[in-house]
Amino acid sequence: MDDGVAIIALSFSGAIGILFVVLGCALKEYGIWWPMFVLFFYAFAPVPTIIARRFSDDFSSNASNVIKETAMFFTAGNVVSAFGLPIVLARCNIIKWGAMALVLSGNVFIFFTILAYFLIFSAEDDWGF
């Protein structure tokens, strides 16, 4: 896949995800902005992987090491928390179930975008980061 096409596809997917999250907050029948806290999870999702790549030489190989497994553990916890927050808010009647569905749809798009970015651009890591 060409890098330009990949970047455009990732941008489109990320924009759709953010659109769903904003719609889950801003539509008139929902009108509460608590689900926007999932943006923190989006920002912190790639951080363990970036830190682990910095300290590990063979991160892209299939071999298991402590740094790689720890980064995957913290990333998985972050992703589960991003899906769990809207569910807990809906169960506590803080947000409506429709808003929860929109935020969860946005989560799917955003985390797919983050995963696709690392899968597409991990082989071209020439500058050492």
Side-chain angles (χ1 to χ4, degrees), residues 81-92:
S81 297
F83 280 96
L85 177 67
I87 295 170
V88 169
L89 289 175
R91 289 277 299 151
C92 294

Side-chain angles (χ1 to χ4, degrees), residues 47-58:
V47 170
T49 305
I50 291 171
I51 292 172
R53 284 180 186 221
R54 186 79 171 150
F55 290 114
S56 178
D57 295 332
D58 59 348

Side-chain angles (χ1 to χ4, degrees), residues 40-41 44-52 59 66-82 111:
F40 291 117
F41 295 115
F44 294 127
V47 170
T49 305
I50 291 171
I51 292 172
F59 192 84
V66 175
I67 295 174
K68 181 179 178 181
E69 296 295 328
T70 304
M72 290 170 56
F73 175 77
F74 284 120
T75 302
N78 195 359
V79 171
V80 168
S81 297
F111 287 122

Side-chain angles (χ1 to χ4, degrees), residues 6 11 22-23 25 28 32-33 38 53 57 64 66 68 71 77-78 89-90 97 111 115 119 122 124:
S11 299
V22 170
L23 284 177
C25 298
K28 187 176 181 181
I32 192 160
W33 290 87
V38 297
R53 284 180 186 221
D57 295 332
S64 178
V66 175
K68 181 179 178 181
N78 195 359
L89 289 175
W97 289 96
F111 287 122
L115 175 67
L119 291 177
S122 66
E124 301 173 13

Side-chain angles (χ1 to χ4, degrees), residues 20-21 23-27 29-32 35 86 90 94-106:
F20 279 140
V21 172
L23 284 177
C25 298
L27 288 177
E29 59 265 10
Y30 304 137
I32 192 160
I94 295 172
I95 64 172
K96 295 185 179 171
W97 289 96
M100 181 210 62
L102 283 170
V103 173
L104 291 181
S105 300

